[in-house]
Amino acid sequence: MPLVHIIGAGLAGLAAAIKLRTQGIAVQVYESAPRAGGRCRSYVDQALGQQIDNGNHLLMSGNHAALSYLKDIGAQDTLIAPARALYPFVDLATGQRWTLRPNAGPLPWWILDPKRRVPDTKVSDYWSALAIALASADKTVADVLETSGAFYKRFWEPLTLAALNCAPERGQARLLRAVLMETFAKGEHACRPLVARNGLGPSFIDPALTLLENAGRPVSFNARLRALKHGAGRVAALDFGERAVEIGPDDKVILALPPARIGPIAPWITPPGEGEPIVNAHYRLAEPLKADSEFPVLGLINATTHWIFVRRNIISLTISAGGAVSHTPEDELLNALWAEVRQALNLHDLSYEAARLIREKRATFDQSPASVARRPKAQTHLRNLFLAGDWTDTGLPATIEGAIRSGHKAARLAARGAID
């Protein structure tokens, strides 16, 4: 029986494994770490004494690949969402608060209502979306937009930072267009924000691991691939150092590794460059916080913090493109960020019990036009080797949706010839 060997138990690798399993194709997943999930995982933090996610992730209801994956692993009910699409914001410089509320249907009449659009913006400002839609592959977001004014500062800049993890001056406009076309452009039903109720691990990782284990194919942990042995146009063996795994004539291999790991394994592949870091801070409170909003996510303008996530007594912050604070002393940064939290959430003099700062140096790949042009296809010149990962040519930014979609694509290619 053909076997698909999947290297990497991050979201891309797990998505490929689950998709192949639903088609009755045997898989074996190998992971160099002692745990699965990569950047999408949960763990019990010793400083906080509670489970947290290693990074904060916001999905949208238009992320059809992510929702399909959750359905496949029986976790479709583990996300929470507001009854309608809404995105609350606060400008810490002015104190203004507002909530973006797109309407149902693709015709965006919500921009006609001053109470639903960005404050201090005109209807004509929203026509700038056409510039994003028509942008060529060599243009950044800032190349095609007017970079002054409230709409840029309060909409385009935070959207680019959230979707591309880089400033508009660097991020490719076409990647942002892909996000818009699959979410906001389709209307309210496709742009509702979603977060994992109990964390990323319980939603995206643990159920997948259980399915693979129940199928008799648990993930092989602490298995670091050292080299691919190949010849005659195909992978012949996987070298794990202390052991080698022979690849049968009908077997396939999916490399679902981060770009930094690809060079030593497949030196003929030139991945995109490294992008900006992401900084996350987590604060534990003595008591659960009563949310002022019907959805526990708040965007910040004119602040170091970009997003605040509230989950019971844990407040988590995200700073996208966090290079500017990547070397700030931890205590100094935690105190400065907490001051922003207190202002944004009207916490007055409330203090936290414990805190944790997490700096991800290689959070995403470089999503500039030049780097995006280097994203490889899933198909390789070796007929039984395929690539998966959000850094491959998915047409999307480095997101959960992009990672899962890449795994699904690699699974489709690997399934060819495996099903008679």
Side-chain angles (χ1 to χ4, degrees), residues 228-243:
L228 291 174
K229 296 182 179 180
H230 56 91
R234 62 182 300 276
V235 176
L238 304 174
D239 179 6
F240 288 99
E242 295 182 355
R243 67 186 179 108

Side-chain angles (χ1 to χ4, degrees), residues 171-194:
Q172 190 199 45
R174 280 193 172 181
L175 284 182
L176 189 60
R177 178 182 70 185
V179 173
L180 291 171
M181 293 302 293
E182 295 192 8
T183 55
F184 286 97
K186 292 185 176 181
E188 184 273 334
H189 77 281
C191 59
R192 295 180 189 177
L194 308 170

